[in-house]
PDB file of all heavy atoms in Angstrom:
ATOM      1  N   THR A   1     -28.877   2.940  43.288  1.00 98.00           N
ATOM      2  CA  THR A   1     -29.348   3.838  42.220  1.00 98.00           C
ATOM      3  C   THR A   1     -28.423   5.064  42.043  1.00 98.00           C
ATOM      4  O   THR A   1     -28.008   5.348  40.892  1.00 98.00           O
ATOM      5  CB  THR A   1     -30.817   4.266  42.465  1.00 98.00           C
ATOM      6  OG1 THR A   1     -31.632   3.130  42.264  1.00 98.00           O
ATOM      7  CG2 THR A   1     -31.239   5.385  41.530  1.00 98.00           C
ATOM      8  N   PRO A   2     -28.062   5.794  43.078  1.00 97.00           N
ATOM      9  CA  PRO A   2     -27.203   6.972  42.864  1.00 97.00           C
ATOM     10  C   PRO A   2     -25.833   6.603  42.245  1.00 97.00           C
ATOM     11  O   PRO A   2     -25.395   7.301  41.329  1.00 97.00           O
ATOM     12  CB  PRO A   2     -27.030   7.564  44.262  1.00 97.00           C
ATOM     13  CG  PRO A   2     -28.220   7.089  45.035  1.00 97.00           C
ATOM     14  CD  PRO A   2     -28.470   5.688  44.504  1.00 97.00           C
ATOM     15  N   ALA A   3     -25.227   5.533  42.710  1.00 97.00           N
ATOM     16  CA  ALA A   3     -23.893   5.185  42.207  1.00 97.00           C
ATOM     17  C   ALA A   3     -23.996   4.727  40.741  1.00 97.00           C
ATOM     18  O   ALA A   3     -23.142   5.094  39.913  1.00 97.00           O
ATOM     19  CB  ALA A   3     -23.280   4.055  43.071  1.00 97.00           C
ATOM     20  N   LEU A   4     -25.027   3.935  40.394  1.00 97.00           N
ATOM     21  CA  LEU A   4     -25.165   3.529  39.017  1.00 97.00           C
ATOM     22  C   LEU A   4     -25.502   4.690  38.113  1.00 97.00           C
ATOM     23  O   LEU A   4     -25.015   4.812  36.982  1.00 97.00           O
ATOM     24  CB  LEU A   4     -26.256   2.488  38.873  1.00 97.00           C
ATOM     25  CG  LEU A   4     -25.924   1.099  39.466  1.00 97.00           C
ATOM     26  CD1 LEU A   4     -27.159   0.190  39.363  1.00 97.00           C
ATOM     27  CD2 LEU A   4     -24.734   0.472  38.737  1.00 97.00           C
ATOM     28  N   GLY A   5     -26.251   5.654  38.622  1.00 97.00           N
ATOM     29  CA  GLY A   5     -26.546   6.875  37.890  1.00 97.00           C
ATOM     30  C   GLY A   5     -25.272   7.661  37.599  1.00 97.00           C
ATOM     31  O   GLY A   5     -25.090   8.151  36.476  1.00 97.00           O
ATOM     32  N   LYS A   6     -24.399   7.751  38.602  1.00 96.00           N
ATOM     33  CA  LYS A   6     -23.130   8.448  38.384  1.00 96.00           C
ATOM     34  C   LYS A   6     -22.246   7.705  37.381  1.00 96.00           C
ATOM     35  O   LYS A   6     -21.391   8.291  36.730  1.00 96.00           O
ATOM     36  CB  LYS A   6     -22.368   8.586  39.698  1.00 96.00           C
ATOM     37  CG  LYS A   6     -23.013   9.567  40.657  1.00 96.00           C
ATOM     38  CD  LYS A   6     -22.259   9.638  41.964  1.00 96.00           C
ATOM     39  CE  LYS A   6     -22.948  10.614  42.958  1.00 96.00           C
ATOM     40  NZ  LYS A   6     -22.234  10.639  44.269  1.00 96.00           N
ATOM     41  N   GLY A   7     -22.453   6.402  37.247  1.00 96.00           N
ATOM     42  CA  GLY A   7     -21.718   5.601  36.286  1.00 96.00           C
ATOM     43  C   GLY A   7     -22.250   5.667  34.896  1.00 96.00           C
ATOM     44  O   GLY A   7     -21.723   4.946  34.008  1.00 96.00           O
ATOM     45  N   GLY A   8     -23.274   6.474  34.651  1.00 97.00           N
ATOM     46  CA  GLY A   8     -23.780   6.685  33.321  1.00 97.00           C
ATOM     47  C   GLY A   8     -25.011   5.871  32.971  1.00 97.00           C
ATOM     48  O   GLY A   8     -25.506   5.966  31.840  1.00 97.00           O
ATOM     49  N   TYR A   9     -25.518   5.070  33.902  1.00 98.00           N
ATOM     50  CA  TYR A   9     -26.718   4.281  33.647  1.00 98.00           C
ATOM     51  C   TYR A   9     -27.962   5.185  33.785  1.00 98.00           C
ATOM     52  O   TYR A   9     -27.955   6.188  34.515  1.00 98.00           O
ATOM     53  CB  TYR A   9     -26.829   3.107  34.584  1.00 98.00           C
ATOM     54  CG  TYR A   9     -25.833   2.030  34.264  1.00 98.00           C
ATOM     55  CD1 TYR A   9     -24.593   1.947  34.860  1.00 98.00           C
ATOM     56  CD2 TYR A   9     -26.181   1.031  33.337  1.00 98.00           C
ATOM     57  CE1 TYR A   9     -23.664   0.968  34.564  1.00 98.00           C
ATOM     58  CE2 TYR A   9     -25.260   0.019  32.987  1.00 98.00           C
ATOM     59  CZ  TYR A   9     -24.022  -0.012  33.614  1.00 98.00           C
ATOM     60  OH  TYR A   9     -23.142  -0.968  33.264  1.00 98.00           O
ATOM     61  N   ASP A  10     -29.020   4.796  33.106  1.00 98.00           N
ATOM     62  CA  ASP A  10     -30.306   5.490  33.169  1.00 98.00           C
ATOM     63  C   ASP A  10     -31.098   4.781  34.246  1.00 98.00           C
ATOM     64  O   ASP A  10     -31.577   3.639  34.025  1.00 98.00           O
ATOM     65  CB  ASP A  10     -30.983   5.382  31.783  1.00 98.00           C
ATOM     66  CG  ASP A  10     -32.327   6.085  31.737  1.00 98.00           C
ATOM     67  OD1 ASP A  10     -32.693   6.703  32.762  1.00 98.00           O
ATOM     68  OD2 ASP A  10     -32.989   5.998  30.714  1.00 98.00           O
ATOM     69  N   LEU A  11     -31.256   5.404  35.389  1.00 97.00           N
ATOM     70  CA  LEU A  11     -31.756   4.727  36.585  1.00 97.00           C
ATOM     71  C   LEU A  11     -33.159   5.177  36.998  1.00 97.00           C
ATOM     72  O   LEU A  11     -33.495   6.383  36.864  1.00 97.00           O
ATOM     73  CB  LEU A  11     -30.834   5.022  37.770  1.00 97.00           C
ATOM     74  CG  LEU A  11     -29.863   3.905  38.154  1.00 97.00           C
ATOM     75  CD1 LEU A  11     -30.585   2.662  38.666  1.00 97.00           C
ATOM     76  CD2 LEU A  11     -28.951   3.560  36.997  1.00 97.00           C
ATOM     77  N   LEU A  12     -33.916   4.243  37.479  1.00 98.00           N
ATOM     78  CA  LEU A  12     -35.138   4.516  38.236  1.00 98.00           C
ATOM     79  C   LEU A  12     -35.128   3.639  39.484  1.00 98.00           C
ATOM     80  O   LEU A  12     -35.097   2.426  39.385  1.00 98.00           O
ATOM     81  CB  LEU A  12     -36.374   4.236  37.430  1.00 98.00           C
ATOM     82  CG  LEU A  12     -37.755   4.442  38.125  1.00 98.00           C
ATOM     83  CD1 LEU A  12     -37.908   5.846  38.621  1.00 98.00           C
ATOM     84  CD2 LEU A  12     -38.893   3.992  37.250  1.00 98.00           C
ATOM     85  N   GLY A  13     -35.161   4.287  40.672  1.00 98.00           N
ATOM     86  CA  GLY A  13     -35.238   3.568  41.937  1.00 98.00           C
ATOM     87  C   GLY A  13     -36.614   3.763  42.532  1.00 98.00           C
ATOM     88  O   GLY A  13     -37.078   4.911  42.623  1.00 98.00           O
ATOM     89  N   ILE A  14     -37.286   2.667  42.909  1.00 98.00           N
ATOM     90  CA  ILE A  14     -38.641   2.831  43.465  1.00 98.00           C
ATOM     91  C   ILE A  14     -38.685   2.230  44.882  1.00 98.00           C
ATOM     92  O   ILE A  14     -38.058   1.235  45.180  1.00 98.00           O
ATOM     93  CB  ILE A  14     -39.692   2.165  42.575  1.00 98.00           C
ATOM     94  CG1 ILE A  14     -39.517   0.649  42.473  1.00 98.00           C
ATOM     95  CG2 ILE A  14     -39.750   2.808  41.214  1.00 98.00           C
ATOM     96  CD1 ILE A  14     -40.721  -0.094  41.854  1.00 98.00           C
ATOM     97  N   ASP A  15     -39.481   2.894  45.722  1.00 98.00           N
ATOM     98  CA  ASP A  15     -39.741   2.447  47.089  1.00 98.00           C
ATOM     99  C   ASP A  15     -40.701   3.442  47.704  1.00 98.00           C
ATOM    100  O   ASP A  15     -40.614   4.651  47.408  1.00 98.00           O
ATOM    101  CB  ASP A  15     -38.395   2.471  47.884  1.00 98.00           C
ATOM    102  CG  ASP A  15     -38.524   1.757  49.233  1.00 98.00           C
ATOM    103  OD1 ASP A  15     -39.215   2.279  50.131  1.00 98.00           O
ATOM    104  OD2 ASP A  15     -37.945   0.698  49.376  1.00 98.00           O
ATOM    105  N   PRO A  16     -41.632   2.980  48.509  1.00 97.00           N
ATOM    106  CA  PRO A  16     -42.515   3.945  49.198  1.00 97.00           C
ATOM    107  C   PRO A  16     -41.781   4.993  50.036  1.00 97.00           C
ATOM    108  O   PRO A  16     -42.307   6.081  50.291  1.00 97.00           O
ATOM    109  CB  PRO A  16     -43.397   3.061  50.059  1.00 97.00           C
ATOM    110  CG  PRO A  16     -43.409   1.734  49.395  1.00 97.00           C
ATOM    111  CD  PRO A  16     -42.031   1.604  48.769  1.00 97.00           C
ATOM    112  N   ARG A  17     -40.515   4.650  50.444  1.00 97.00           N
ATOM    113  CA  ARG A  17     -39.706   5.589  51.249  1.00 97.00           C
ATOM    114  C   ARG A  17     -38.529   6.084  50.435  1.00 97.00           C
ATOM    115  O   ARG A  17     -37.538   6.531  51.042  1.00 97.00           O
ATOM    116  CB  ARG A  17     -39.252   4.891  52.517  1.00 97.00           C
ATOM    117  CG  ARG A  17     -40.385   4.345  53.404  1.00 97.00           C
ATOM    118  CD  ARG A  17     -39.817   3.604  54.598  1.00 97.00           C
ATOM    119  NE  ARG A  17     -38.994   2.491  54.154  1.00 97.00           N
ATOM    120  CZ  ARG A  17     -37.936   2.017  54.792  1.00 97.00           C
ATOM    121  NH1 ARG A  17     -37.494   2.631  55.875  1.00 97.00           N
ATOM    122  NH2 ARG A  17     -37.274   0.969  54.325  1.00 97.00           N
ATOM    123  N   ALA A  18     -38.577   6.043  49.120  1.00 98.00           N
ATOM    124  CA  ALA A  18     -37.445   6.473  48.332  1.00 98.00           C
ATOM    125  C   ALA A  18     -37.081   7.933  48.563  1.00 98.00           C
ATOM    126  O   ALA A  18     -37.945   8.755  48.960  1.00 98.00           O
ATOM    127  CB  ALA A  18     -37.779   6.286  46.836  1.00 98.00           C
ATOM    128  N   PRO A  19     -35.817   8.310  48.342  1.00 97.00           N
ATOM    129  CA  PRO A  19     -35.450   9.703  48.482  1.00 97.00           C
ATOM    130  C   PRO A  19     -36.173  10.546  47.399  1.00 97.00           C
ATOM    131  O   PRO A  19     -36.716   9.990  46.418  1.00 97.00           O
ATOM    132  CB  PRO A  19     -33.924   9.712  48.196  1.00 97.00           C
ATOM    133  CG  PRO A  19     -33.498   8.303  48.310  1.00 97.00           C
ATOM    134  CD  PRO A  19     -34.693   7.463  47.969  1.00 97.00           C
ATOM    135  N   SER A  20     -36.137  11.836  47.606  1.00 96.00           N
ATOM    136  CA  SER A  20     -36.665  12.729  46.565  1.00 96.00           C
ATOM    137  C   SER A  20     -35.591  12.877  45.467  1.00 96.00           C
ATOM    138  O   SER A  20     -34.421  12.607  45.693  1.00 96.00           O
ATOM    139  CB  SER A  20     -37.040  14.096  47.123  1.00 96.00           C
ATOM    140  OG  SER A  20     -35.914  14.685  47.745  1.00 96.00           O
ATOM    141  N   GLY A  21     -36.022  13.275  44.269  1.00 96.00           N
ATOM    142  CA  GLY A  21     -35.041  13.529  43.194  1.00 96.00           C
ATOM    143  C   GLY A  21     -35.479  12.833  41.925  1.00 96.00           C
ATOM    144  O   GLY A  21     -36.376  11.965  41.913  1.00 96.00           O
ATOM    145  N   PRO A  22     -34.845  13.188  40.806  1.00 96.00           N
ATOM    146  CA  PRO A  22     -35.264  12.693  39.515  1.00 96.00           C
ATOM    147  C   PRO A  22     -35.031  11.216  39.253  1.00 96.00           C
ATOM    148  O   PRO A  22     -35.620  10.630  38.368  1.00 96.00           O
ATOM    149  CB  PRO A  22     -34.433  13.559  38.540  1.00 96.00           C
ATOM    150  CG  PRO A  22     -33.278  13.987  39.334  1.00 96.00           C
ATOM    151  CD  PRO A  22     -33.751  14.156  40.713  1.00 96.00           C
ATOM    152  N   LEU A  23     -34.173  10.592  40.072  1.00 97.00           N
ATOM    153  CA  LEU A  23     -33.874   9.160  39.876  1.00 97.00           C
ATOM    154  C   LEU A  23     -34.860   8.270  40.593  1.00 97.00           C
ATOM    155  O   LEU A  23     -34.791   7.021  40.447  1.00 97.00           O
ATOM    156  CB  LEU A  23     -32.487   8.837  40.386  1.00 97.00           C
ATOM    157  CG  LEU A  23     -31.298   9.544  39.708  1.00 97.00           C
ATOM    158  CD1 LEU A  23     -29.985   9.047  40.285  1.00 97.00           C
ATOM    159  CD2 LEU A  23     -31.309   9.341  38.204  1.00 97.00           C
ATOM    160  N   PHE A  24     -35.788   8.838  41.372  1.00 98.00           N
ATOM    161  CA  PHE A  24     -36.598   8.073  42.294  1.00 98.00           C
ATOM    162  C   PHE A  24     -38.073   8.314  42.133  1.00 98.00           C
ATOM    163  O   PHE A  24     -38.490   9.436  41.726  1.00 98.00           O
ATOM    164  CB  PHE A  24     -36.194   8.350  43.737  1.00 98.00           C
ATOM    165  CG  PHE A  24     -34.782   8.046  44.040  1.00 98.00           C
ATOM    166  CD1 PHE A  24     -33.844   9.093  44.092  1.00 98.00           C
ATOM    167  CD2 PHE A  24     -34.328   6.772  44.285  1.00 98.00           C
ATOM    168  CE1 PHE A  24     -32.504   8.845  44.372  1.00 98.00           C
ATOM    169  CE2 PHE A  24     -33.002   6.518  44.567  1.00 98.00           C
ATOM    170  CZ  PHE A  24     -32.075   7.535  44.603  1.00 98.00           C
ATOM    171  N   ARG A  25     -38.882   7.293  42.484  1.00 98.00           N
ATOM    172  CA  ARG A  25     -40.340   7.418  42.594  1.00 98.00           C
ATOM    173  C   ARG A  25     -40.772   6.732  43.842  1.00 98.00           C
ATOM    174  O   ARG A  25     -40.320   5.590  44.114  1.00 98.00           O
ATOM    175  CB  ARG A  25     -41.051   6.868  41.362  1.00 98.00           C
ATOM    176  CG  ARG A  25     -40.893   7.746  40.142  1.00 98.00           C
ATOM    177  CD  ARG A  25     -41.707   7.172  38.974  1.00 98.00           C
ATOM    178  NE  ARG A  25     -43.128   7.121  39.279  1.00 98.00           N
ATOM    179  CZ  ARG A  25     -44.050   6.556  38.542  1.00 98.00           C
ATOM    180  NH1 ARG A  25     -43.692   5.889  37.452  1.00 98.00           N
ATOM    181  NH2 ARG A  25     -45.335   6.566  38.913  1.00 98.00           N
ATOM    182  N   ARG A  26     -41.663   7.348  44.609  1.00 98.00           N
ATOM    183  CA  ARG A  26     -42.166   6.757  45.836  1.00 98.00           C
ATOM    184  C   ARG A  26     -43.426   5.941  45.510  1.00 98.00           C
ATOM    185  O   ARG A  26     -44.556   6.343  45.812  1.00 98.00           O
ATOM    186  CB  ARG A  26     -42.483   7.872  46.866  1.00 98.00           C
ATOM    187  CG  ARG A  26     -41.183   8.484  47.421  1.00 98.00           C
ATOM    188  CD  ARG A  26     -41.448   9.582  48.383  1.00 98.00           C
ATOM    189  NE  ARG A  26     -40.194  10.092  48.890  1.00 98.00           N
ATOM    190  CZ  ARG A  26     -40.055  11.303  49.448  1.00 98.00           C
ATOM    191  NH1 ARG A  26     -41.110  12.126  49.550  1.00 98.00           N
ATOM    192  NH2 ARG A  26     -38.868  11.684  49.881  1.00 98.00           N
ATOM    193  N   VAL A  27     -43.179   4.750  44.962  1.00 98.00           N
ATOM    194  CA  VAL A  27     -44.237   3.827  44.629  1.00 98.00           C
ATOM    195  C   VAL A  27     -43.780   2.412  44.929  1.00 98.00           C
ATOM    196  O   VAL A  27     -42.585   2.145  45.045  1.00 98.00           O
ATOM    197  CB  VAL A  27     -44.627   3.921  43.136  1.00 98.00           C
ATOM    198  CG1 VAL A  27     -45.257   5.267  42.812  1.00 98.00           C
ATOM    199  CG2 VAL A  27     -43.432   3.592  42.218  1.00 98.00           C
ATOM    200  N   THR A  28     -44.745   1.517  45.067  1.00 96.00           N
ATOM    201  CA  THR A  28     -44.446   0.072  45.157  1.00 96.00           C
ATOM    202  C   THR A  28     -44.312  -0.461  43.755  1.00 96.00           C
ATOM    203  O   THR A  28     -44.689   0.139  42.756  1.00 96.00           O
ATOM    204  CB  THR A  28     -45.545  -0.696  45.888  1.00 96.00           C
ATOM    205  OG1 THR A  28     -46.737  -0.583  45.111  1.00 96.00           O
ATOM    206  CG2 THR A  28     -45.818  -0.099  47.260  1.00 96.00           C
ATOM    207  N   LEU A  29     -43.789  -1.706  43.658  1.00 96.00           N
ATOM    208  CA  LEU A  29     -43.734  -2.388  42.354  1.00 96.00           C
ATOM    209  C   LEU A  29     -45.147  -2.524  41.763  1.00 96.00           C
ATOM    210  O   LEU A  29     -45.340  -2.293  40.570  1.00 96.00           O
ATOM    211  CB  LEU A  29     -43.083  -3.765  42.501  1.00 96.00           C
ATOM    212  CG  LEU A  29     -43.063  -4.628  41.237  1.00 96.00           C
ATOM    213  CD1 LEU A  29     -42.278  -3.944  40.120  1.00 96.00           C
ATOM    214  CD2 LEU A  29     -42.468  -6.014  41.553  1.00 96.00           C
ATOM    215  N   GLU A  30     -46.098  -2.847  42.589  1.00 95.00           N
ATOM    216  CA  GLU A  30     -47.471  -3.001  42.111  1.00 95.00           C
ATOM    217  C   GLU A  30     -48.001  -1.706  41.523  1.00 95.00           C
ATOM    218  O   GLU A  30     -48.721  -1.694  40.528  1.00 95.00           O
ATOM    219  CB  GLU A  30     -48.369  -3.458  43.258  1.00 95.00           C
ATOM    220  CG  GLU A  30     -49.794  -3.773  42.828  1.00 95.00           C
ATOM    221  CD  GLU A  30     -50.610  -4.299  44.001  1.00 95.00           C
ATOM    222  OE1 GLU A  30     -50.245  -4.067  45.174  1.00 95.00           O
ATOM    223  OE2 GLU A  30     -51.631  -4.944  43.749  1.00 95.00           O
ATOM    224  N   GLU A  31     -47.621  -0.577  42.123  1.00 97.00           N
ATOM    225  CA  GLU A  31     -48.131   0.739  41.711  1.00 97.00           C
ATOM    226  C   GLU A  31     -47.400   1.287  40.470  1.00 97.00           C
ATOM    227  O   GLU A  31     -47.830   2.196  39.808  1.00 97.00           O
ATOM    228  CB  GLU A  31     -48.006   1.765  42.824  1.00 97.00           C
ATOM    229  CG  GLU A  31     -48.906   1.463  44.038  1.00 97.00           C
ATOM    230  CD  GLU A  31     -48.474   2.260  45.277  1.00 97.00           C
ATOM    231  OE1 GLU A  31     -47.351   2.779  45.326  1.00 97.00           O
ATOM    232  OE2 GLU A  31     -49.324   2.363  46.186  1.00 97.00           O
ATOM    233  N   LEU A  32     -46.183   0.740  40.209  1.00 97.00           N
ATOM    234  CA  LEU A  32     -45.334   1.253  39.135  1.00 97.00           C
ATOM    235  C   LEU A  32     -46.074   1.177  37.778  1.00 97.00           C
ATOM    236  O   LEU A  32     -46.482   0.108  37.369  1.00 97.00           O
ATOM    237  CB  LEU A  32     -44.013   0.532  39.070  1.00 97.00           C
ATOM    238  CG  LEU A  32     -43.055   0.957  37.979  1.00 97.00           C
ATOM    239  CD1 LEU A  32     -42.559   2.377  38.203  1.00 97.00           C
ATOM    240  CD2 LEU A  32     -41.878  -0.008  37.884  1.00 97.00           C
TER     241      LEU A  32
END
């Protein structure tokens, strides 16, 4: 996610243990 974001893509990375920050959400796929 960070590298693709730096490449100009509009990113959302999800994981219950995802980092903090605007590109991420701490959720499962089911919860998304």
Side-chain angles (χ1 to χ4, degrees):
T1 291
L4 289 175
K6 289 178 181 176
Y9 287 93
D10 180 4
L11 259 295
L12 175 60
I14 65 168
D15 192 289
R17 302 177 298 147
S20 59
L23 300 182
F24 301 101
R25 288 183 61 190
R26 289 178 178 158
V27 295
T28 65
L29 175 61
E30 185 178 21
E31 295 166 341
L32 179 67

